[in-house]
Amino acid sequence: MSTASSDTATDPAVPDGPTEPSRRQRRLALPDGVRPYLAPLLLYGVTKLVGLTVFVRLLKAADEYQKKDPRFGGGAHWWDVLATWDGWWYLQVAEKGYEPGPLVRLAPGGLFTVKQNSVAFFPLYPGLIRGVSEITGLGLYGSAIAVSVLASFVAAAGVYAVISTLAGARAGTIAAGLWALAPGAGVEWAVYSESVFVAIAAWCCYCVMKRHWVAAGLLAFLAGLNRPTSAALIGAVGLAAIVTLARPESRREHGIAGPVYAMLAAPLGLLTYVTWVGLEAGDLTAYFTLQREGWAHYFDFGAYTLDVLGNTAIGHNDYLFAFSVPDLLAVQLVVALPFLIALMLRRKPPLVLVAYTLASVVAVLGTQQMFGNTGRYLLPVFPLLLAPAAAMSRLKWPSLTVFFTTAAVASGWYAHFVIFELGIP
């Protein structure tokens, strides 16, 4: 009886030395954990590139950005626009650090009664900018864009991970593409902190879903150093941990230490920074005073949102921070929110996603801020993509190609040009 080894040895078709791996073998050589993310990241990246290209063409066609102040939507080159408004503040922090101290009062009677201060901008993103600049030598602007772009891909991967867990890989891939098309998505590749925040939030929610409590607590802690809106994520992590501890079966399965750690670690970043600002200013509520009196941003239980909706319904603009085109797009998004939330709830997602989504929506709609930026403020609420992505996953790729091509081109206007040139991002 011949053996496999003898057959191989005498077979002239088998070469003596090692063979060159086939294309299929090289493709399969990718780590199993990496391969599923190739399609969503490719879709995300191509979609963003198309939108950015259209944005650049629109900027040049309008021919206005070179006439504007480089701090307020202008610059010598088109890419300078991506570092204006909030981006200017982040670069200031990355370059000079903070100048904490007592709040400087302005003359009463105006919209702003406190001088704006860089401590309103949380430290994680500018810290990453400074660190990357020191390591790579890219400079602060180049480092800021690099951080945002890389973080956006990490965020898209996180969106894929969460949605694919609930609705399948095809839906997850589509969700990553939809996140590139969301209103306000122009800040994903700009000097803004949204990409870093969504990267943290998506993977934090995924860790909670998989019961990786230590990782979830650490990510929520980092989120608290990035944006004040991390309060919604921190609360969602804490609620999921409490429910896990309250149920005997889940407590036995997952233990006590992990959920308790996540619940205690999650708020420390946010509390530490806000407390530091308060101590430096001599008033523990200084951060909130600065937001209210320096930027006119504060929670008003939805009064401002209702004012904008009422005005736009009758064609008036008698409200604070009125920008007609961005506001009209934001109204359409607000009208769509109840349907998106209802469709998401029908899919019965995990508690952490429900709590995070609802808390984020309440915070956005219940706060006086620039209404035209509603799309940007809702950019982190990626669980709303669950139902649309699941529904679209039933479409064939030719139909999806037409959709994403058309939407990517349109996003250059509504997600980029509108917020940077027709409003204030």
Side-chain angles (χ1 to χ4, degrees):
M1 179 182 294
S2 62
T3 64
S5 58
S6 63
D7 288 343
T8 303
T10 59
D11 188 350
V14 178
D16 294 333
T19 61
E20 181 71 20
S22 67
R23 182 180 301 176
R24 177 177 175 81
Q25 288 173 325
R26 287 196 297 270
R27 180 175 66 84
L28 295 177
L30 287 171
D32 290 340
V34 172
R35 197 179 309 124
Y37 293 93
L38 294 181
L41 293 184
L42 179 62
L43 177 60
Y44 174 80
V46 171
T47 303
K48 287 298 300 178
L49 280 174
V50 172
L52 183 63
T53 301
V54 173
F55 172 54
V56 174
R57 297 297 296 269
L58 291 173
L59 274 178
K60 294 182 177 180
D63 194 26
E64 294 289 336
Y65 67 93
Q66 291 179 325
K67 305 171 187 176
K68 296 181 178 181
D69 190 311
R71 181 178 169 183
F72 303 115
H77 309 93
W78 68 262
W79 55 83
D80 294 328
V81 176
L82 301 176
T84 56
W85 301 109
D86 286 6
W88 182 87
W89 283 102
Y90 282 121
L91 291 178
Q92 289 294 302
V93 175
E95 179 183 3
K96 304 174 182 178
Y98 294 110
E99 297 180 0
L103 300 181
V104 178
R105 292 287 173 180
L106 302 176
L111 175 61
F112 305 118
T113 56
V114 167
K115 184 179 179 181
Q116 295 179 342
N117 189 302
S118 61
V119 295
F121 296 85
F122 276 48
L124 180 60
Y125 179 55
L128 290 172
I129 294 172
R130 182 61 178 264
V132 171
S133 178
E134 294 287 343
I135 293 171
T136 65
L138 285 174
L140 293 178
Y141 175 85
S143 299
I145 294 296
V147 169
S148 291
V149 171
L150 290 175
S152 75
F153 280 96
V154 176
V159 171
Y160 168 82
V162 171
I163 303 301
S164 63
T165 299
L166 301 175
R170 190 180 179 88
T173 298
I174 293 169
L178 290 176
W179 190 64
L181 299 171
V187 299
E188 292 171 9
W189 286 8
V191 187
Y192 276 70
S193 64
E194 270 75 7
S195 289
V196 172
F197 180 74
V198 178
I200 295 172
W203 284 107
C204 180
C205 290
Y206 180 79
C207 287
V208 172
M209 291 166 57
K210 296 297 183 180
R211 297 298 188 260
H212 301 318
W213 291 107
V214 173
L218 287 174
L219 288 170
F221 167 82
L222 288 175
L225 295 174
N226 190 63
R227 292 184 65 83
T229 51
S230 60
L233 178 67
I234 293 167
V237 172
L239 180 61
I242 291 172
V243 171
T244 298
L245 293 172
R247 294 173 176 171
E249 63 278 7
S250 62
R251 189 168 62 246
R252 286 192 298 268
E253 180 180 356
H254 304 291
I256 296 176
V260 169
Y261 171 84
M263 186 168 48
L264 295 178
L268 291 182
L270 177 62
L271 292 177
T272 298
Y273 183 70
V274 171
T275 301
W276 174 78
V277 172
L279 292 174
E280 291 291 329
D283 177 5
L284 289 179
T285 64
Y287 178 83
F288 306 101
T289 302
L290 179 60
Q291 284 288 350
R292 182 185 184 103
E293 300 184 33
W295 268 270
H297 290 180
Y298 61 94
F299 192 79
D300 65 352
F301 298 92
Y304 174 72
T305 298
L306 291 175
D307 186 27
V308 176
L309 293 176
N311 269 274
T312 54
I314 58 176
H316 291 179
N317 60 353
D318 186 22
Y319 56 91
L320 193 62
F321 304 131
F323 296 93
S324 57
V325 176
D327 291 351
L328 185 58
L329 293 177
V331 167
Q332 296 178 58
L333 180 58
V334 170
V335 170
L337 275 177
F339 300 97
L340 290 172
I341 293 172
L343 291 172
M344 180 196 73
L345 294 177
R346 284 192 63 190
R347 304 282 310 183
K348 297 181 179 179
L351 175 62
V352 65
L353 297 183
V354 175
Y356 171 60
T357 299
L358 296 181
S360 298
V361 170
V362 168
V364 171
L365 299 186
T367 299
Q368 175 180 289
Q369 49 201 351
M370 291 186 178
F371 186 79
N373 284 342
T374 298
R376 176 167 81 85
Y377 301 143
L378 290 174
L379 196 60
V381 195
F382 67 91
L384 292 177
L385 301 175
L386 172 59
M392 292 177 66
S393 67
R394 295 192 289 269
L395 298 175
K396 301 295 185 182
W397 277 116
S399 299
L400 290 172
T401 300
V402 172
F403 167 80
F404 277 105
T405 301
T406 305
V409 171
S411 72
W413 178 73
Y414 71 78
H416 294 73
F417 186 81
V418 166
I419 62 173
F420 276 103
E421 290 297 293
L422 302 183
I424 300 177

